Amino acid sequence: MSGSGNITPIPWIGLQQILSTAVVTDHMLHIFNTLTRRKDLFSPLIPGEVRLYVCGMTVYDYCHLGHARMMVAFDVVQRWLRALGYKVIYVRNITDIDDKIIKRAVQNGEAISALTERFIQAMHEDTDALGVQRPDHEPRATRYVAQMQGIITRLQQNGLAYQSPDGDVNYAVRKFSAYGKLSGKSVDELRAGERIAVDSGKQDPLDFVLWKSAKSDEPQEVKWESPWGPGRPGWHIECSAMSCSLLGETFDIHGGGMDLQFPHHENEIAQSEGATGKPFVRFWMHNGFVNIDSEKMSKSLGNFFTIRDVLKQWDPEIVRFLLVRTHYRSPLNYSDQHLSDAKNALSRLYTALKETGPDEQTLDWDEPHAVRVRTAMNDDFNTPVVISVLFELAAEVNRTHDPALARQLKGLANLLGFLNREPRVFLQAGVDQGGLTLEQINALIAARQAAKAGKNYPEADRLRAELTSAGIVVEDSPQGTTWRRV
């Protein structure tokens, strides 16, 4: 599997067919709300409709596993909301104007638009490979500058923004009395965010920039005309503009990585509520970090892995399984050993379906395993419990060879975005650890069968051992001989 522009996506099919007439009727969904610091019963503002916004990528480089975790986590969230029968309007933005983007484009000697377009395409290749369904809307910040300027103007009119002598427009944090309610800290406890430079133009170190005055050495394509002179938007104002434009000034769920809780999401609340006077978001969700050797994975620490580099070594469905089997709010430990464990676990589920194919009926939500899955998913999307139920169900399939239970196994796994392929396709996929091509594997198996037919059992055993040493498990049954990768 290539690591540059040639990632093969999994054929993520079957979910809509299975769920088309099998919508969950129990809507007692509880979500851990960062704002209230507890699990709250969820009900949307508009009955039957959920408006969901997730902070997406800043497109100046390839996505890493931390980004993959965020995108897969909220992919599971929107899948479950749809399974509950809601009409979901899912927005995940793209930041295509930012200090890091400008710096990278200047270093490369390429246009900013060319740089961002290249990495947007790469992001889509990565997320498609991981089975992440595209959001309903994927707004780009550069297309919402007018809306950002509108919010800044309202903030100035409300006495919450000021233009400093250097030309920047800043938010006056101490004038917004509710600042800190998401992070749970008082203004005096908080510090300026890592992405905000504290300078003499600010009235307070906590103030953050809404509009950046144009710099003479910056490319012309990042300069917009405004009431405050040429410049470009700050980072935080982007999401306020895009979310309110597409979902309304108050909407249901806002998500993102835990590192965005402060200052980014805190600042979004201050901007949006300061401009509109209305509650911004009802439920805030934050996913946990990916850890490498018990340390947070990050570019600043140099301990990160891009999605496409990981997919050179591992099947994307295995990577997705690894990301989903840990609860979205918990830290996720990453290593090759964890991926190997995920591969073995997913192989067990596929093996059950290889031996017993599912029937053609729709998912039965009254079946006991499905009831437990529904309960777990309605308990703040508790995917680890769901996966434990899937393994119990696989054991039942292996014991009974019941196609109805096989259908339940496949359908319930589809809710999390896996078990969509033909079992043999998955079990025979992967990196050729022993350097054997598919043709070589089939030739060795045919030679072994010929040796067995000729009662040359030592030769048959030798060929089996050769396959085993290459990571190929040969399985004989009355129906014939099959194989899978270790």
Side-chain angles (χ1 to χ4, degrees):
M1 190 172 294
S2 170
S4 58
N6 191 30
I7 296 174
T8 304
I10 298 173
W12 304 98
I13 58 175
L15 178 63
Q16 295 304 321
Q17 293 174 331
I18 290 172
L19 296 181
S20 59
T21 57
V23 175
V24 188
T25 56
D26 180 4
H27 288 191
M28 297 296 288
L29 171 63
H30 288 77
I31 300 176
F32 184 87
N33 188 352
T34 309
L35 188 63
T36 62
R37 295 162 189 81
R38 64 173 183 258
K39 291 180 186 178
D40 290 333
L41 178 64
F42 176 76
S43 61
L45 280 169
I46 301 174
E49 179 179 292
V50 178
R51 289 174 287 171
L52 165 66
Y53 184 93
V54 173
C55 288
M57 293 299 304
T58 300
V59 284
Y60 71 99
D61 207 342
Y62 294 113
C63 299
H64 59 60
L65 278 178
H67 304 135
R69 186 177 194 199
M70 174 273 292
M71 289 185 280
V72 169
F74 288 100
D75 181 57
V76 170
V77 168
Q78 65 90 19
R79 284 171 182 256
W80 182 246
L81 290 170
R82 295 183 201 276
L84 289 173
Y86 289 116
K87 173 187 175 183
V88 178
I89 304 173
Y90 177 27
V91 180
R92 191 184 68 224
N93 79 292
I94 292 173
T95 294
D96 59 347
I97 180 63
D98 173 87
D99 291 343
K100 294 179 180 178
I101 291 173
I102 296 171
K103 181 179 179 181
R104 181 65 58 85
V106 171
Q107 287 175 343
N108 293 353
E110 70 179 311
I112 288 172
S113 57
L115 174 81
T116 56
E117 197 63 46
R118 180 157 55 89
F119 284 115
I120 289 170
Q121 180 180 346
M123 176 192 71
H124 286 152
E125 291 169 357
D126 293 342
T127 55
D128 289 350
L130 291 172
V132 175
Q133 296 173 342
R134 300 280 180 98
D136 300 293
H137 300 278
E138 197 171 54
R140 302 185 185 191
T142 53
R143 299 175 184 176
Y144 285 79
V145 174
Q147 291 87 338
M148 297 175 205
Q149 292 181 358
I151 294 175
I152 296 170
T153 297
R154 293 172 74 177
L155 289 170
Q156 272 193 308
Q157 293 169 347
N158 293 344
L160 293 170
Y162 61 91
Q163 188 166 19
S164 62
D166 60 8
D168 290 353
V169 180
N170 299 311
Y171 190 99
V173 166
R174 292 183 186 272
K175 292 185 178 181
F176 182 69
S177 61
Y179 196 85
K181 66 180 178 180
L182 184 65
S183 57
K185 297 180 180 179
S186 68
V187 170
D188 291 333
E189 291 177 296
L190 296 170
R191 295 292 181 267
E194 293 179 1
R195 295 180 70 164
I196 303 299
V198 177
D199 56 47
S200 58
K202 294 181 179 179
Q203 297 174 357
D204 187 285
L206 273 177
D207 293 351
F208 58 90
V209 67
L210 299 166
W211 186 260
K212 295 188 175 185
S213 178
K215 307 298 186 292
S216 60
D217 59 345
E218 291 180 339
Q220 190 62 36
E221 62 179 319
V222 299
K223 297 176 182 178
W224 283 264
E225 292 299 322
S226 79
W228 315 283
R232 58 186 172 89
W235 175 44
H236 306 296
I237 195 67
E238 298 174 3
C239 286
S240 288
M242 289 183 278
S243 62
C244 290
S245 295
L246 291 166
L247 299 176
E249 293 177 343
T250 303
F251 57 92
D252 298 300
I253 303 173
H254 192 317
M258 195 174 293
D259 55 329
L260 298 183
Q261 181 180 343
F262 180 84
H264 184 52
H265 290 163
E266 195 78 69
N267 290 350
E268 278 191 64
I269 292 173
Q271 294 165 161
S272 303
E273 297 187 2
T276 69
K278 302 175 184 177
F280 178 39
V281 174
R282 299 173 63 245
F283 285 78
W284 286 89
M285 297 179 64
H286 294 94
N287 65 273
F289 297 130
V290 175
N291 291 335
I292 309 293
D293 295 328
S294 301
E295 191 171 40
K296 177 196 169 187
M297 187 182 74
S298 71
K299 288 186 177 180
S300 60
L301 295 173
N303 63 345
F304 71 96
F305 299 89
T306 66
I307 296 171
R308 54 193 46 221
D309 282 345
V310 172
L311 297 187
K312 291 177 184 178
Q313 303 295 326
W314 297 94
D315 185 284
E317 194 172 358
I318 294 170
V319 178
R320 183 181 178 98
F321 185 87
L322 173 70
L323 297 173
V324 168
R325 73 176 182 178
T326 298
H327 191 272
Y328 78 91
R329 285 191 288 115
S330 299
L332 185 149
N333 291 314
Y334 171 84
S335 68
D336 280 349
Q337 183 58 54
H338 286 103
L339 279 166
S340 181
D341 292 344
K343 177 183 178 181
N344 293 335
L346 193 54
S347 295
R348 286 167 54 196
L349 299 179
Y350 265 116
T351 298
L353 293 179
K354 179 173 75 73
E355 300 300 328
T356 305
D359 64 23
E360 298 298 321
Q361 301 301 308
T362 57
L363 197 57
D364 178 7
W365 282 107
D366 293 324
E367 187 268 330
H369 296 93
V371 170
R372 292 168 61 197
V373 165
R374 179 179 65 227
T375 300
M377 289 298 287
N378 279 341
D379 181 17
D380 195 32
F381 311 98
N382 199 333
T383 55
V385 171
V386 173
I387 289 175
S388 70
V389 174
L390 294 181
F391 280 110
E392 292 180 25
L393 188 49
E396 284 295 297
V397 171
N398 289 331
R399 183 179 66 82
T400 64
H401 299 287
D402 183 348
L405 290 179
R407 170 242 301 160
Q408 293 295 103
L409 173 60
K410 181 178 176 65
L412 293 170
N414 285 172
L415 293 167
L416 302 185
F418 51 85
L419 293 194
N420 285 287
R421 288 184 278 182
E422 287 296 321
R424 282 189 176 84
V425 172
F426 172 83
L427 294 169
Q428 295 180 1
V431 179
D432 296 321
Q433 300 288 347
L436 295 179
T437 65
L438 180 62
E439 291 75 15
Q440 289 172 324
I441 294 170
N442 288 332
L444 287 169
I445 288 175
R448 176 177 174 269
Q449 290 173 321
K452 288 176 65 179
K455 301 188 184 302
N456 187 352
Y457 298 116
E459 175 64 5
D461 290 342
R462 185 193 70 77
L463 290 166
R464 185 185 192 118
E466 182 178 345
L467 287 160
T468 300
S469 66
I472 305 301
V473 176
V474 178
E475 297 173 331
D476 296 317
S477 72
Q479 289 74 38
T481 298
T482 60
W483 62 272
R484 61 179 173 85
R485 297 186 189 275
V486 176

